[in-house]
Amino acid sequence: MSPLEERLDRLGSQINRWRAFETGLFGTAAMLACWTGLSLADLWLRPRDPGRLALSGLFLAAAAAALVLLVRILRRGRTPAAVAALLERQFPQLDNHLINRVLFASAPDRNSPWLRAYLGEPGPDWTVLPLAELKDRRRRRLGAGALAAALLVIVLPGLRYGTAWAVALQRVANPFSRLAPTTFAAVTAVEPGHATVIQGEPVELLLRARGRAGHSVMLELFPADDARSVIRLGTFDTTGAEQTFVHTISRLTVPVGYRFTAGDAWPTERYTLTPVPPLAVEGLSVNVVPPAYTRLPPRTVDALAAIPEIPVHAQVTFVLTLNRAAQRVVLVAGEEPPVALSPAAEGRQWRGSLVVDKEVVFRLTAHDTAGGHRLEQTLPMVLLADR
């Protein structure tokens, strides 16, 4: 490569940087506009993680496209002839001498006497020209205007929404941000949450929340045997003060999902109420092991069908079977301290043992997992004295 071509090649790289800067003004303005639009969508729609990731993905894809465009402009290949032609167009006083010298220098017959004589003459000194005029001044002015407008557009929502706007910008720009949208309303408690309820009994749904005066509180119900319904529970009376909103389902017969929406806050988690039948005894057996000195054989008695006869000092094992799982079961013999039974069969069967030395009435108490209910079963007995 000749010294002329090297200088033209360096100028070509400089022109690429100027063009990249000019394009970068418009690209930055477009990115700011895109960021503003996506952040407004995040602010108004308050999407959950999938939607927020989609917004961030669009923003990052636009940023990547702009970066690829700038890299392509910077890496654009400009031949010395192309740069010379650009100079000729910008500076007509060169009178095609520069482009001719570049083309003749690479011509196949450049060793001819005529071309050698032409190339031997001093060429135009294009390095003294005002090369800065190769910059596209008009595009720069338009790009600067677009960038200023985009900066204004991205700042203005902050004057109205304050911190909420800053949060929306961060949520769009960073797909891994754990920031939640800023809202006036905030849920402090939902009761009973996920719960099992005795079939046919009423259920009270409760929400405690803070919000802006006049904002509504809604309850969505999703019964298993009917369509979704929406119930308006009321509005906030005072801004910032915690209020309680209650709705009662008069009779729960099928599984029901529910969730609350308080003001501009996200809907709560969707909770489920599961009805279960009342706790009931399916079986109660008593295994009696008499003392060894009586030489009486062990036996098992169905305590629901007959009153067990128990020799004094016998080891008695109670096996209680329920229609569904219980939380805990205790056995009380007369005035004695309660004895906790051990669970089996996933909480449906309970077993416990004690030694009987006097005639008492046994009382079994099963504590329900649903609604704090209890099932009590009394068990009389006949004590057989030693003979």
Side-chain angles (χ1 to χ4, degrees):
M1 184 178 291
S2 67
L4 174 61
E5 290 177 329
E6 289 179 355
R7 291 197 299 271
L8 290 173
D9 185 64
R10 286 194 297 270
L11 179 59
S13 298
Q14 180 64 59
I15 292 172
N16 285 347
R17 289 192 289 271
W18 289 337
R19 297 296 179 263
F21 176 77
E22 293 151 8
T23 303
L25 289 175
F26 288 100
T28 304
M31 287 303 306
L32 291 176
C34 176
W35 194 8
T36 301
L38 294 174
S39 298
L40 286 172
D42 181 85
L43 182 70
W44 293 334
L45 301 178
R46 299 189 302 279
R48 299 279 188 172
D49 282 347
R52 188 175 69 80
L53 290 175
L55 294 179
S56 294
L58 289 173
F59 177 71
L60 295 177
L67 182 61
V68 169
L69 177 61
L70 290 177
V71 170
R72 291 183 64 182
I73 293 174
L74 287 170
R75 299 181 63 181
R76 178 182 175 183
R78 292 179 184 270
T79 64
V83 177
L86 184 61
L87 287 169
E88 295 281 1
R89 285 196 301 270
Q90 186 67 32
F91 305 106
Q93 62 268 35
L94 292 175
D95 196 23
N96 292 330
H97 288 296
L98 180 62
I99 185 65
N100 287 340
R101 296 183 70 84
V102 173
L103 294 176
F104 289 162
S106 58
D109 55 346
R110 59 182 176 272
N111 292 324
S112 68
W114 184 85
L115 286 183
R116 284 204 309 270
Y118 180 83
L119 295 174
E121 295 176 359
D125 188 5
W126 57 270
T127 59
V128 300
L129 297 173
L131 299 178
E133 292 184 11
L134 292 171
K135 299 176 183 178
D136 194 332
R137 303 291 184 182
R138 182 173 179 275
R139 285 194 69 198
R140 291 184 178 226
R141 287 193 298 271
L142 292 175
L147 182 58
L151 286 171
L152 182 63
V153 167
I154 201 171
V155 168
L156 285 178
L159 302 179
R160 173 178 174 82
Y161 298 109
T163 304
W165 180 239
V167 170
L169 289 172
Q170 293 179 67
R171 281 167 52 85
V172 170
N174 180 9
F176 304 105
S177 172
R178 304 313 303 169
L179 289 173
T182 302
T183 60
F184 292 109
V187 174
T188 55
V190 174
E191 296 178 6
H194 294 289
T196 53
V197 181
I198 300 300
Q199 197 168 30
E201 291 195 352
V203 185
E204 187 177 82
L205 307 179
L206 178 145
L207 171 77
R208 282 195 288 273
R210 297 188 302 272
R212 172 172 282 189
H215 281 193
S216 299
V217 175
M218 313 297 290
L219 170 65
E220 295 176 84
L221 296 177
F222 306 88
D225 63 346
D226 204 349
R228 165 183 171 270
S229 62
V230 179
I231 300 169
R232 188 173 184 270
L233 300 182
T235 60
F236 290 103
D237 299 325
T238 308
T239 298
E242 185 176 272
Q243 287 184 237
T244 301
F245 300 87
V246 178
H247 176 76
T248 301
I249 299 176
S250 59
R251 189 166 178 266
L252 187 72
T253 57
V254 296
V256 174
Y258 71 96
R259 67 182 177 190
F260 294 96
T261 302
D264 62 345
W266 270 344
T268 65
E269 177 187 348
R270 180 167 164 172
Y271 298 97
T272 302
L273 301 174
T274 305
V276 293
L279 202 60
V281 175
E282 288 189 346
L284 176 58
S285 63
V286 178
N287 182 28
V288 181
V289 180
Y293 63 81
T294 65
R295 297 184 179 179
L296 294 174
R299 65 182 186 277
T300 299
V301 180
D302 182 357
L304 297 180
I307 298 176
E309 296 181 346
I310 304 175
V312 67
H313 303 309
Q315 177 80 24
V316 180
T317 300
F318 298 86
V319 180
L320 175 67
T321 303
L322 303 171
N323 63 330
R324 57 182 175 82
Q327 188 177 41
R328 60 190 179 92
V329 178
V330 295
L331 170 66
V332 177
E335 301 300 324
E336 297 296 322
V339 176
L341 274 62
S342 300
E346 298 181 347
R348 291 187 63 245
Q349 192 174 85
W350 297 80
R351 180 185 299 268
S353 300
L354 50 77
V355 175
V356 176
D357 53 12
K358 59 182 178 181
E359 187 165 319
V360 294
V361 174
F362 297 105
R363 187 173 72 253
L364 288 162
T365 303
H367 294 262
D368 200 348
T369 57
H373 292 264
R374 297 190 304 176
L375 169 68
E376 294 195 353
Q377 177 75 33
T378 58
L379 177 62
M381 58 157 285
V382 175
L383 185 68
L384 302 179
D386 286 341
R387 296 179 182 177

